[in-house]
Amino acid sequence: MNLYPLKFNPILKERLWGGTKLKDLFGKPSTSEITGESWELSTVKDDISIVSNGELASTSLQELIDKYPVELLGKSVVDRFGTEFPILIKFIDAKQDLSIQVHPNDALAKERHNSFGKTEMWYIMDADPGAELVVGFNKDVSKTDYRQSLTNDTLLELLHHEKVHEGDTFFINTGKIHAIGAGVLLAEIQQTSDITYRVFDFNRKDKEGNLRELHTELALEAIDYKKKDDFKVGYSKKMNSVNTMVDCPYFKTNFLELDKNFTIDTNNRDSFTIYMCVDGRALIENEFGKVSLQKGETTLIAAMSQKIIIDTEGAKLLEVTI
């Protein structure tokens, strides 16, 4: 089998809060003025990624997993997740503030939606001056305090607002109330799940003039009401090295800033490898082929690969494995 580095057609999502940066900066094939998300790797129902390069072009990611589960994903990944791709990879452009929201944990998501929970991380690729995120509460609150703030329209006063800059990285565990603010462009790595409980949306209306649905009652048991300063990720940026960013049960993410060719021995890596290019460009190669990658593009390397060669004069990459 010839499992060369795979690229996929982006799955573009219009969002009320979206803009044009995914097209303008990354060249995504959007014709909309409100493209908020580019799903780079997905097996979410009705949004399954399709290969765009080489002899496997037009094949779906799910077809490849079903045909080559261990070869593509790795035995340990198949043992844990079967033939379901366990993570969802996105680029997000927030021209306006996203809604204030929360994601359920695995147990709650399984009980209510027969789904995984939604643990995620963000890498800030670009931020307008003054751009910020909402991450958690600014003090411990009770469920009663929280409900009262919704009634009084004072929820924002209870939330922590964090200014952001390029390179900042955040880990958003389940239960943490959060939102991406206007002017932020980021890479997102998350569990395969599309379960979001929207709790406040600034009273905005969609293009039909309707208020978007809120999930007030569903969110009550999902929210962690404690103030926790556990969201910002500190990581090394040593050049030409593999720098650990996040190592959680659902994914592992490393930061690579390279200005010369770099080889990674994956002989004992029982997992697929994903590279998201967050700056510059590189040529990614395994035993079966190579693919060019530029800022805003993603590639999937099969677990059966014995080594990965990165040919570059300058690139910043997020390396994602299980």
Side-chain angles (χ1 to χ4, degrees), residues 100 134-161 177-178 199-200 223-229:
I100 309 296
V134 165
V135 274
F137 291 101
N138 57 32
K139 61 181 180 181
D140 290 352
V141 301
S142 68
K143 192 181 294 186
T144 301
D145 294 334
Y146 168 76
R147 295 196 74 150
Q148 191 64 43
S149 75
L150 295 179
T151 301
N152 297 341
D153 203 17
T154 57
L155 175 62
L156 294 177
E157 297 174 15
L158 298 180
L159 303 177
H160 174 75
H161 300 259
I177 197 165
H178 64 274
V199 299
F200 181 68
I223 293 173
D224 182 350
Y225 295 96
K226 298 291 186 182
K227 177 184 184 295
K228 293 179 180 176
D229 299 322

Side-chain angles (χ1 to χ4, degrees), residues 67-92:
K67 192 170 184 179
Y68 308 115
V70 172
E71 295 86 349
L72 185 58
L73 301 183
K75 183 179 184 304
S76 64
V77 177
V78 173
D79 287 346
R80 284 184 64 192
F81 301 102
T83 56
E84 183 164 1
F85 196 64
I87 54 178
L88 174 58
I89 300 290
K90 303 177 182 177
F91 293 110
I92 295 178

Side-chain angles (χ1 to χ4, degrees), residues 40-41 72-73 77 85-91 119-123 187-191 242-256 264 266 269-278 293 297-303 308 310 317-322:
E40 299 288 296
L41 278 172
L72 185 58
L73 301 183
V77 177
F85 196 64
I87 54 178
L88 174 58
I89 300 290
K90 303 177 182 177
F91 293 110
T119 298
E120 61 192 19
M121 68 165 283
W122 299 330
Y123 175 89
E188 179 176 273
I189 299 150
Q190 60 157 95
Q191 288 177 270
V242 177
N243 303 286
T244 300
M245 303 174 89
V246 168
D247 187 349
C248 76
Y250 307 107
F251 51 80
K252 301 173 184 177
T253 303
N254 300 316
F255 178 76
L256 283 69
I264 299 171
T266 55
R269 180 180 289 179
D270 191 18
S271 166
F272 59 84
T273 303
I274 296 165
Y275 289 104
M276 304 180 77
C277 186
V278 294
L293 212 60
E297 291 186 329
T298 304
T299 187
L300 174 65
I301 313 294
I308 299 169
I310 303 173
L317 303 168
L318 303 184
E319 179 189 68
V320 186
T321 62
I322 297 295

Side-chain angles (χ1 to χ4, degrees), residues 282-298:
L283 193 68
I284 312 290
E285 181 177 357
N286 70 356
E287 303 92 315
F288 312 105
K290 61 183 70 175
V291 69
S292 62
L293 212 60
Q294 63 183 19
K295 185 175 183 179
E297 291 186 329
T298 304

Side-chain angles (χ1 to χ4, degrees), residues 173-235:
N173 52 299
T174 56
K176 188 177 299 299
I177 197 165
H178 64 274
I180 302 169
V184 175
L185 178 69
L186 59 78
E188 179 176 273
I189 299 150
Q190 60 157 95
Q191 288 177 270
T192 290
S193 171
D194 206 24
I195 307 299
T196 294
Y197 297 154
R198 187 184 300 124
V199 299
F200 181 68
D201 196 34
F202 306 95
N203 301 313
R204 290 182 292 198
K205 296 182 179 179
D206 62 22
K207 57 188 178 183
E208 277 79 40
N210 302 312
L211 293 170
R212 293 202 294 172
E213 181 184 6
L214 299 179
H215 310 99
T216 305
E217 296 302 318
L218 286 172
L220 288 175
E221 299 307 317
I223 293 173
D224 182 350
Y225 295 96
K226 298 291 186 182
K227 177 184 184 295
K228 293 179 180 176
D229 299 322
D230 59 353
F231 45 81
K232 193 163 186 181
V233 175
Y235 63 98

